[in-house]
């Protein structure tokens, strides 16, 4: 039977050379993620979770092993090929939002489309549609300094989805938010991705946030120690979310 996993990680190792010392960040990771999976990777600081996210996204090369996404071997790609692959297949949500401070919300969301050569009118229209999806259409002319943390992360979500990626990678997406805002932002992320049939791979150290995933992958000392299927993943209908709830 043919393997249909969207992401297939095969005996991946990552070694950093720090002076005369070798640091084994990943020690033979095997993992399969199917299309539409909502995955949480959880582990304490130094467990290797951010390294795993980076190699899955093609931001770092593996030392050995294979990473196959949509049938393509990332470990065989050049840096130029990886850039094109990320533009076509991957969206990113960051802990620190990474918004351009002098751009409006609309311009920030449209930015990834400019790298694809999408004409200005078309990319602004698409960006406006995505801001409407996350409930921030009335804030499209606001700059990041005029938005709350939760609103800035909503802009980040819209930016991650504006290119219609297959996979969204999220690195501690609620790390800079308070607990109430974190819950609401996670519900926005999960419900939009479920509605659109996207795959999410999210890194977190927070057990509560990890519980939003329907697959929870535990990492310790560069190895996967457990994979749990979470049949009670936290989620609500996005239609019940109001802009005022995320301040």
């Amino acid at each position: 039977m043919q393997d249909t996993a969207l992401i297939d990680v095969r005996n991946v190792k990552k070694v950093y050379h720090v002076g005369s010392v070798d640091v084994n960040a990943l020690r033979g990771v095997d993992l399969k993620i199917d299309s539409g999976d909502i995955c949480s990777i959880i582990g304490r600081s130094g467990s290797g979770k951010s390294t795993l996210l980076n190699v899955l996204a093609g931001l770092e090369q593996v030392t050995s092993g294979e990473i196959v996404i949509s049938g393509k071997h990332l470990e065989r790609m050049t840096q130029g090929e990886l850039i094109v692959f990320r533009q076509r297949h991957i969206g990113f949500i960051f802990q620190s939002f990474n918004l351009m401070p002098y751009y409006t919300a609309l311009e920030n969301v449209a930015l990834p489309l400019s790298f694809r050569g999408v004409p200005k009118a078309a990319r602004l229209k698409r960006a406006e549609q995505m801001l409407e999806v996350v409930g921030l259409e009335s804030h499209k002319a606001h700059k990041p300094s005029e938005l709350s943390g939760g609103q800035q992360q909503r802009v980040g979500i819209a930016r991650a989805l504006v290119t219609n990626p297959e996979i969204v990678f999220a690195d501690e997406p609620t790390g800079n938010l308070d607990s109430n805002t974190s819950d609401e932002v996670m519900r926005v992320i999960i419900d939009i991705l479920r509605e659109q049939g996207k795959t999410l791979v999210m890194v977190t150290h927070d057990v509560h946030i990890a519980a939003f995933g329907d697959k929870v992958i535990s990492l310790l000392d560069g190895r996967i120690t457990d994979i749990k299927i979470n049949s009670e993943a936290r989620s609500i209908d996005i239609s019940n979310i109001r802009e005022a709830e995320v301040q």
Side-chain angles (χ1 to χ4, degrees):
M1 183 176 178
Q2 186 175 6
D3 193 343
T4 59
L6 176 63
I7 300 173
D8 191 355
V9 181
R10 306 169 185 171
N11 195 28
V12 162
K13 298 178 182 178
K14 177 65 178 178
V15 180
Y16 294 102
H17 303 291
V18 184
S20 60
V21 177
D22 288 345
V23 178
N24 295 284
L26 297 175
R27 302 169 181 259
V29 171
D30 292 288
L31 177 65
K32 294 182 187 294
I33 297 173
D34 294 327
S35 180
D37 278 355
I38 304 294
C39 297
S40 302
I41 300 174
I42 189 165
R44 65 192 185 195
S45 179
S47 63
K49 60 186 186 300
S50 292
T51 299
L52 179 56
L53 191 77
N54 287 341
V55 298
L56 288 177
L59 297 172
E60 294 186 45
Q61 289 280 1
V62 299
T63 302
S64 63
E66 299 174 284
I67 296 180
V68 185
I69 299 180
S70 295
K72 307 293 184 182
H73 280 261
L74 268 63
E75 81 282 355
R76 299 176 186 173
M77 293 184 184
T78 65
Q79 285 302 313
E81 289 169 339
L82 285 168
I83 289 170
V84 172
F85 184 85
R86 287 194 294 269
Q87 288 177 348
R88 292 178 177 173
H89 297 276
I90 293 172
F92 293 94
I93 301 173
F94 303 96
Q95 175 179 344
S96 55
F97 317 136
N98 284 12
L99 302 179
M100 301 294 286
Y102 301 111
Y103 285 13
T104 64
L106 185 66
E107 291 166 338
N108 267 286
V109 175
L111 190 58
L113 295 174
S114 68
F115 300 131
R116 288 189 172 189
V118 177
K120 184 176 181 179
R123 66 179 184 254
L124 291 178
K125 181 178 179 181
R126 172 65 177 163
E128 191 163 1
Q129 291 170 341
M130 289 312 306
L131 283 173
E132 184 175 355
V133 168
V134 300
L136 279 183
E137 66 273 18
S138 63
H139 289 65
K140 65 182 180 181
H142 288 60
K143 293 181 178 177
S145 61
E146 300 171 312
L147 299 171
S148 69
Q151 290 168 338
Q152 288 185 63
Q153 194 57 293
R154 284 194 184 212
V155 174
I157 296 165
R159 180 186 56 193
L161 295 174
V162 74
T163 59
N164 194 30
E166 286 181 270
I167 306 162
V168 174
F169 290 109
D171 188 3
E172 299 280 5
T174 62
N176 286 349
L177 304 174
D178 63 61
S179 58
N180 288 334
T181 306
S182 294
D183 276 10
E184 296 303 336
V185 165
M186 280 308 306
R187 288 182 170 100
V188 171
I189 294 172
I190 299 300
D191 290 314
I192 292 173
L193 295 182
R194 288 198 193 283
E195 185 178 86
Q196 297 187 359
K198 306 297 185 187
T199 301
L200 175 68
V201 181
M202 173 182 66
V203 158
T204 182
H205 68 278
D206 188 328
V207 174
H208 178 78
I209 295 300
F212 282 92
D214 46 36
K215 183 180 288 184
V216 181
I217 302 157
S218 297
L219 216 63
L220 179 65
D221 296 333
R223 294 186 176 93
I224 292 176
T225 58
D226 191 33
I227 299 177
K228 290 182 179 177
I229 304 303
N230 181 17
S231 60
E232 298 180 355
R234 295 188 179 93
S235 186
I236 61 172
D237 186 345
I238 192 170
S239 64
N240 292 329
I241 299 174
R242 297 293 179 263
E243 181 180 336
E245 291 178 329
V246 179
Q247 298 301 325

